[in-house]
Amino acid sequence: MKQAAEFSSRRRPQPSRRLATERRRFSAGWAYVPAAFAVLCALSSERQACAAIDPNEPAPFTETPGEQSFPLAVAGQAAPLLVAADEYPGVLRVAEHVRADLERVAGSAPPVLRVVNSQTALPAQAVLAGTLGKSSLVERLVAAGKFDPSDLRGRREKFVATIVDAPLPGMTQALVIVGSDKRGTIYGLYDLADRSGVSPWAWWADVPTPRRPDMHVPPERRTVGEPAVEFRGIFINDEAPALSGWAHATFGACNSRFYDKVFELILRLRGNYLWPAMWGRSLFDDDPESARLADEYGVVLGTSHHEPMMRAHVEWQRYGQGPWNYEKNAETLREFWAEGLRRRGEFESIVTIGMRGDGDEPMTEQTNIALLERIVADQRAIIAQITGRDPTETPQCWALYKEVQEYYDRGMRVPDDVLLLLCDDNWGNIRKLPALGAPPRPGGYGVYYHFDYVGGPRNYKWINTNPLPRIWEQMHLARRYGANRLWVVNVGDIKPMEFPIEFFLDYAWNPEAWPSDRLGEYGRRWAARQFGESHAAAIADLLAKYAKFNARRKPELLSPDTYSLVDFDEADARVAEYGALATSARRIEGELPVDARDAFFQLVLHPVEASANLNELYVVAGKNRLYAEHRRRETNDLAARVAELFERDAAISRRYNEETAGGKWRHMMDQTHIGYTSWQEPPRNEPPATRTIDVPSGTSWGVAIEGSRSAWPAAAPATLPELNEYGPGERWIEVFARGTEPVKFAVICRDPWLRVSPARGATAGTQRIAVAADWRQFPPGTSEAILTVRGPADESVEIRVPVVRTDVPPTFQGHVEAAGYVSIEAEHASRRVDGPNVRWHVIPDLGRTLSGVTIMPPDVPRQLLAEDSPRLEYRVLLTHSGSVAVRVFAAPTQDFAAAGGLQYAVSFDDQPPQLVNMHADASNRAWERQVAENVNETTTEHRLEQAGEHVLKFWLVDPGIVLQKLVVARGELPASYLGPPESVRVGEPASPAAAR
């Protein structure tokens, strides 16, 4: 993306004659516009914005006029904005925002003209915005037959933008933006700013606005329709120390100045709903102007799942008397709640009802359903009393959060006009959805979702760990099951959740626009809107991958032993993956214009670098401990490296807090994230413990091998994991120094088909030696080679190398066993058998490794197993007969259908399918393991009477299960976090086309 400043030393292109004529005509028609810029700034055409990642890709604004186009800006002069004086105050406020937006884009500020009556003088050309049924300007257009409102009447939050010739006396042309209601008009105005090049994150992430002194709007009747989800919003939560510290430093508190920016962001993203910050804060009580401002903007306010009747939790601490206990203190609580309704007045809101324990804790064990139903009935009586209307006329929601869902499952009910807010498990897995075929509920259903959480098994507050594919899959599930009246997501501090926040709200607006196979395109468009097309694909890849990697195990859950140091090169591979992302991000930063680097650091580079650094920190700490066990000389160097990486983590946070955007975001990265010892965050970051050793003088050595934490020389023999033509291409041995002097080594191998590299050398640290077979010289069958590693003082270590060459039939197509297992990525099925009304569907990039496979549509009943049931088939070649275990790795989906656990079935060949309940262990411990590891792992045992070709079958029983990986194993697998990498597939994979 180029900047105008880059053109300062170049000869500026001369405008065409037609454009020059258009400029003179346009400028002369504006009685209220300052003189045009004397010098035309060149426009970078690289960045063309699409409003709210609009899937319909509206025709872009052009630099030169077209047939019947509207000149939004000419030579740096932006068109005036016309609004009726009798328009909603929120629309008038947003018109001023768009005025400032157009000033940043075009270079000069257009006037905002508030038209009082038909006698007001009008410019020849202008942007005319107003609300149907409210704006007298719009009513004049409709009465004159200049604007057809038929597709707006009775619609919700919809706008239409179109070019109208001679719209009103004295005007030659107008770009008319009409909303069906207040929010519709506001969305239309922000849509114009967005399409002009102003990102919704221009203020919140310092995304630069490209200079476009000439913009012409093509003739089209533009609309983005109505939202699919009626209420779409965010919950600011867990906001200390980061957002709270920043807000205090920037605004003095989370006051109306702060919320002004929050409301604007929500509306620019076409959201309409907010649960405000509540950690020791009250939007209503701290600064009453905040609630009035929300109503002016049209942002619907609520209070969180445990703050009933429009009262923040902190207000009970401030004003409550006695216990938060309805059995003991009902009268006081009722008056406390009544005040919340009185204060609410006529502001647009959704009133949370029900009750949890004080401070978002469960109610006491003695709490019973009858008491809670009485609480709700009394609250509705208060609503009726304060409003003077039937309580059904006041929107209400009841959140089935944690134990409250258990009350619902045991029979507790609230009136049908109350919106039932269903909840996830705080880790992005929805716990309950409406039953298939349930009668419509007047109040509807919604979903409370989490991008951030404080609680077990561990807080996750620091950084984005929410990949779009999982958000998509869960919210798609919610939509298909009818939970689509309210979607609210816990976003913590807002930053650094910018990317998933916008996706969540875009998907709530138009789910049909973003099927799972377009999520990559969504990321590319989002990146292009912030940083231009040149790097959009690479940035989208960074955004997708860092979130995917972080979701494998959230940063707060990492430890030195998370990833294996000795099997599958797992730990080193994770460091390399993150390192490649960081290298790519730093390269892109250097190629971006200077004014884009603050935004790039916030949105891309910081999460990538910080995550890469943290993962390396823990891996190095793990190596330090392992090397201390081995007495390796490098042990102390690794301890020092841990300290360096710990300090680098602090330096990355300091750059965010103190340098980015001139210190604008001070405190925003204050969240601790290193040194957890329980679910609660540590008071300060603490590096993982390291060990140091006394390094003896002289020469001392040792040997380590892949697959073992032991070191040699030792009494037990050393045996490498199996070498197999269809397994890893090589194994490794490490020779290391234990003393102050380098050690010389040589590897002796008597088998000509075995290769080692390097075969000799010297090292003062660690030297890794690759061991591989030359399969051209090795016949099919099994053998064992012996390697002798000679070190100083004629010491030697003998290492056994089992070698297997599997005889694979030339016609076989599928995965081949090696080293005792076959590992299969779910999407690599040999055959997908669909059903009459369902099909198997791959969700790219979902899960810990490659992707996820699930059934579409997901809102179908449990399937009865039959010969032609939907299934996935995987051809495998097994080298031995006997017992095998099949491990199924699936997303940690919850039993959202209350079916007693989601089920699938597994079989080999023609054997009867084994039914598996993936929630058979319903303990809290099992759930904590699943969410911490971001996988549901189940195992079945099978007996195969012969070696050779087999077909592994995964049968559909319950929808909603997302299969990621299968591993067939004989005996124990090497310990690892992600499981074995995928086994070799031979031959051309069979067509995945469905067979009925």
Side-chain angles (χ1 to χ4, degrees):
M1 182 172 61
K2 300 176 182 176
Q3 303 172 83
E6 295 181 1
F7 288 82
S8 59
S9 62
R10 308 179 192 175
R11 181 177 179 182
R12 304 188 190 280
Q14 296 299 308
S16 68
R17 180 175 299 176
R18 180 180 177 186
L19 180 56
T21 301
E22 179 69 19
R23 286 175 179 163
R24 289 193 297 271
R25 178 178 69 83
F26 195 45
S27 180
W30 292 357
Y32 304 95
V33 179
F37 282 158
V39 179
L40 170 64
C41 296
L43 167 68
S44 168
S45 61
E46 184 175 289
R47 180 171 171 234
Q48 290 286 349
C50 293
I53 317 295
D54 182 2
N56 299 316
E57 290 193 280
F61 296 167
T62 59
E63 292 184 58
T64 55
E67 190 69 26
Q68 297 182 325
S69 63
F70 174 80
L72 182 59
V74 175
Q77 293 182 342
L81 299 173
L82 298 186
V83 287
D86 56 4
E87 182 55 83
Y88 289 109
V91 172
L92 298 176
R93 179 182 289 272
V94 169
E96 293 293 340
H97 292 175
V98 175
R99 171 189 179 276
D101 291 341
L102 292 176
E103 180 181 12
R104 286 196 296 273
V105 177
S108 64
V112 176
L113 307 177
R114 300 190 179 189
V115 179
V116 177
N117 53 45
S118 60
Q119 304 306 311
T120 304
L122 303 175
Q125 293 170 305
V127 176
L128 189 159
T131 306
L132 189 67
K134 176 66 174 175
S135 167
S136 55
L137 272 177
V138 171
E139 295 308 301
R140 289 169 61 187
L141 288 176
V142 172
K146 295 293 185 178
F147 180 82
D148 179 5
S150 58
D151 55 350
L152 289 177
R153 294 197 189 280
R155 300 293 185 174
R156 175 169 44 89
E157 299 183 347
K158 183 178 180 180
F159 73 86
V160 165
T162 188
I163 297 171
V164 176
D165 292 328
L168 294 170
M171 296 188 71
T172 60
Q173 190 185 41
L175 175 60
V176 174
I177 301 172
V178 180
S180 62
D181 49 28
K182 175 170 61 177
R183 282 191 289 271
T185 308
I186 288 173
Y187 295 150
L189 281 166
Y190 280 142
D191 179 77
L192 178 67
D194 198 342
R195 293 178 67 199
S196 299
V198 181
S199 168
W201 301 102
W203 191 87
W204 276 94
D206 304 291
V207 175
T209 299
R211 184 61 61 86
R212 306 180 69 186
D214 290 283
M215 291 184 290
H216 295 266
V217 181
E220 60 174 351
R221 189 174 175 90
R222 172 169 171 74
T223 183
V224 294
E226 295 180 275
V229 177
E230 184 176 354
F231 299 105
R232 313 162 305 282
I234 63 174
F235 177 22
I236 302 171
N237 191 218
D238 313 326
E239 68 272 14
L243 183 136
S244 60
W246 167 78
H248 189 271
T250 306
F251 300 107
C254 290
N255 52 28
S256 58
R257 293 172 57 220
F258 161 75
Y259 277 111
D260 184 35
K261 294 297 185 183
V262 173
F263 300 150
E264 179 183 345
L265 175 67
I266 290 171
L267 292 170
R268 284 185 183 271
L269 297 174
R270 288 210 293 266
N272 63 3
Y273 186 71
L274 174 70
W275 282 356
M278 49 71 62
W279 271 26
R281 274 163 279 280
S282 169
L283 174 146
F284 313 95
D285 194 51
D286 296 341
D287 182 354
E289 173 64 11
S290 298
R292 190 208 63 79
L293 193 61
D295 191 66
E296 179 178 307
Y297 269 112
V299 172
V300 182
L301 289 179
T303 47
S304 71
H305 56 280
H306 72 104
E307 298 177 297
M309 302 293 280
M310 304 303 292
R311 301 224 61 174
H313 171 254
V314 72
E315 294 182 60
W316 180 253
Q317 297 175 352
R318 294 173 183 175
Y319 309 120
Q321 296 181 352
W324 180 267
N325 185 309
Y326 203 71
E327 290 178 296
K328 299 178 180 179
N329 202 17
E331 184 176 350
T332 302
L333 283 163
R334 284 195 295 268
E335 177 52 34
F336 176 75
W337 291 333
E339 177 56 29
L341 266 293
R342 282 191 288 266
R343 182 178 61 190
R344 164 187 175 269
E346 296 299 319
F347 290 169
E348 192 176 3
S349 59
I350 299 177
V351 179
T352 297
I353 61 172
M355 190 176 184
R356 292 197 81 218
D358 193 12
D360 199 18
E361 293 294 327
M363 299 281 273
T364 64
E365 291 184 7
Q366 291 75 31
T367 301
N368 56 56
I369 291 173
L371 174 62
L372 284 170
E373 288 179 337
R374 179 160 67 90
I375 289 171
V376 169
D378 289 352
Q379 288 171 341
R380 285 169 64 83
I382 293 170
I383 293 171
Q385 176 190 352
I386 300 300
T387 64
R389 296 189 293 268
D390 189 284
T392 60
E393 298 181 36
T394 298
Q396 301 150 59
C397 76
W398 182 43
L400 303 189
Y401 186 72
K402 289 192 175 179
E403 80 286 346
V404 180
Q405 180 181 315
E406 297 172 17
Y407 303 148
Y408 181 85
D409 291 341
R410 282 158 40 197
M412 180 179 173
R413 291 296 180 266
V414 295
D416 285 348
D417 64 278
V418 176
L419 188 158
L420 288 187
L421 190 61
L422 309 172
C423 304
D424 69 357
D425 61 355
N426 302 306
W427 289 72
N429 310 295
I430 295 174
R431 296 177 67 206
K432 187 177 189 64
L433 288 171
L436 290 177
R441 180 184 181 83
Y445 298 88
V447 173
Y448 169 35
Y449 201 71
H450 282 76
F451 290 165
D452 165 288
Y453 179 58
V454 168
R458 192 158 290 180
N459 296 353
Y460 62 97
K461 297 173 58 180
W462 172 52
I463 210 164
N464 176 34
T465 60
N466 304 282
L468 298 196
R470 182 58 171 169
I471 302 170
W472 180 91
E473 186 269 332
Q474 285 290 284
M475 300 316 295
H476 175 78
L477 200 65
R479 180 175 68 94
R480 294 292 304 200
Y481 277 76
N484 53 17
R485 190 173 181 214
L486 166 62
W487 287 4
V488 60
V489 58
N490 186 329
V491 300
D493 302 303
I494 300 179
K495 300 173 70 63
M497 305 296 176
E498 298 94 338
F499 184 45
I501 287 173
E502 186 160 359
F503 174 75
F504 185 88
L505 294 177
D506 276 343
Y507 192 68
W509 182 277
N510 187 357
E512 298 295 339
W514 298 111
S516 63
D517 58 2
R518 295 190 68 196
L519 296 180
E521 180 186 353
Y522 183 93
R524 186 196 61 75
R525 290 203 199 175
W526 193 87
R529 188 169 53 161
Q530 321 308 326
F531 304 110
E533 288 286 354
S534 293
H535 298 290
I539 292 172
D541 186 60
L542 291 173
L543 292 168
K545 283 183 177 173
Y546 94 74
K548 178 187 181 78
F549 296 166
N550 280 347
R552 286 170 171 164
R553 191 170 185 89
K554 295 184 186 294
E556 292 86 347
L557 279 155
L558 289 172
S559 69
D561 58 359
T562 295
Y563 295 111
S564 176
L565 295 168
V566 298
D567 287 302
F568 309 125
D569 281 330
E570 187 176 54
D572 286 340
R574 302 294 76 76
V575 172
E577 283 179 330
Y578 275 109
L581 294 187
T583 298
S584 176
R586 287 190 289 268
R587 175 187 59 78
I588 293 171
E589 182 193 36
E591 296 173 1
L592 288 174
V594 173
D595 71 344
R597 292 180 185 175
D598 281 339
F600 184 76
F601 179 74
Q602 294 169 63
L603 299 174
V604 184
L605 181 58
H606 171 267
V608 167
E609 277 203 314
S611 301
N613 187 79
L614 187 69
N615 274 265
E616 184 179 359
L617 169 71
Y618 280 110
V619 169
V620 173
K623 284 188 175 182
N624 164 263
R625 298 177 188 184
L626 178 64
Y627 284 18
E629 294 172 13
H630 292 174
R631 309 297 295 173
R632 298 197 197 195
R633 174 183 174 178
E634 295 162 285
T635 300
N636 298 347
D637 295 336
L638 292 180
R641 178 61 177 160
V642 168
E644 290 174 6
L645 292 166
F646 181 75
E647 174 51 36
R648 186 163 183 269
D649 175 270
I652 293 170
S653 294
R654 280 196 299 272
R655 177 180 172 184
Y656 200 119
N657 284 342
E658 300 174 14
E659 301 173 24
T660 301
K664 175 180 175 181
W665 301 107
R666 193 174 306 277
H667 298 297
M668 193 56 86
M669 277 300 140
D670 283 358
Q671 178 61 52
T672 57
H673 49 278
I674 309 175
Y676 275 78
T677 58
S678 69
W679 67 268
Q680 182 58 285
E681 65 196 46
R684 65 189 64 83
N685 286 326
E686 296 285 353
T690 55
R691 295 174 58 184
T692 58
I693 62 172
D694 294 327
V695 178
S697 60
T699 304
S700 182
W701 78 309
V703 174
I705 63 172
E706 181 177 351
S708 174
R709 292 183 64 91
S710 299
W712 287 265
T719 303
L720 274 174
E722 173 186 301
L723 264 178
N724 192 301
E725 184 178 8
Y726 298 97
E730 61 185 33
R731 301 296 186 180
W732 56 260
I733 299 169
E734 289 180 339
V735 174
F736 55 84
R738 284 174 164 157
T740 58
E741 299 300 321
V743 296
K744 295 181 179 179
F745 67 89
V747 184
I748 301 169
C749 176
R750 295 181 176 82
D751 296 291
W753 40 263
L754 201 62
R755 301 282 185 260
V756 293
S757 178
R760 62 183 60 249
T763 180
T766 293
Q767 174 65 60
R768 178 166 285 195
I769 300 164
V771 180
D774 182 352
W775 299 108
R776 293 170 300 180
Q777 300 186 50
F778 188 83
T782 301
S783 183
E784 182 178 86
I786 302 294
L787 297 177
T788 302
V789 185
R790 296 194 182 278
D794 288 331
E795 278 193 303
S796 64
V797 173
E798 191 172 88
I799 301 173
R800 301 170 182 173
V801 186
V803 185
V804 176
R805 186 173 187 184
T806 304
D807 186 10
V808 177
T811 58
F812 177 74
Q813 295 178 330
H815 292 80
V816 180
E817 177 190 344
Y821 66 85
V822 180
S823 181
I824 309 168
E825 291 292 345
E827 77 169 66
H828 292 154
S830 305
R831 182 176 180 232
R832 300 177 196 163
V833 180
D834 293 342
N837 300 307
V838 295
R839 59 184 175 81
W840 292 102
H841 178 78
V842 175
I843 304 177
D845 231 18
L846 189 151
R848 306 194 308 174
T849 50
L850 180 63
S851 60
V853 180
T854 190
I855 205 73
M856 291 291 171
D859 52 330
V860 294
R862 173 173 281 179
Q863 306 290 295
L864 298 176
L865 290 174
E867 185 178 348
D868 60 349
S869 288
R871 63 191 179 275
L872 299 170
E873 296 184 353
Y874 301 89
R875 285 200 289 270
V876 295
L877 185 68
L878 302 180
T879 58
H880 293 76
S881 61
S883 296
V884 296
V886 176
R887 299 189 183 187
V888 168
F889 297 80
T893 305
Q894 295 299 294
D895 181 16
F896 61 87
L902 299 182
Q903 297 181 0
Y904 66 87
V906 179
S907 68
F908 276 98
D909 307 322
D910 295 325
Q911 294 179 357
Q914 292 187 33
L915 199 62
V916 180
N917 183 343
M918 63 186 286
H919 300 111
D921 185 349
S923 67
N924 187 67
R925 184 176 181 180
W927 170 81
E928 286 193 340
R929 183 177 64 253
Q930 290 167 17
V931 297
E933 297 178 358
N934 195 26
V935 73
N936 180 304
E937 182 180 344
T938 47
T939 303
T940 53
E941 300 289 338
H942 306 260
R943 181 164 185 81
L944 302 175
E945 298 302 327
Q946 59 185 19
E949 299 182 36
H950 295 276
V951 178
L952 172 63
K953 300 175 182 179
F954 179 90
W955 300 80
L956 170 67
V957 179
D958 281 317
I961 295 175
V962 185
L963 179 65
Q964 299 176 8
K965 188 175 186 175
L966 304 100
V967 177
V968 181
R970 290 184 290 106
E972 289 295 319
L973 285 170
S976 66
Y977 182 73
L978 297 176
E982 185 169 29
S983 300
V984 171
R985 281 192 299 164
V986 299
E988 291 294 327
S991 169
R996 295 189 185 273

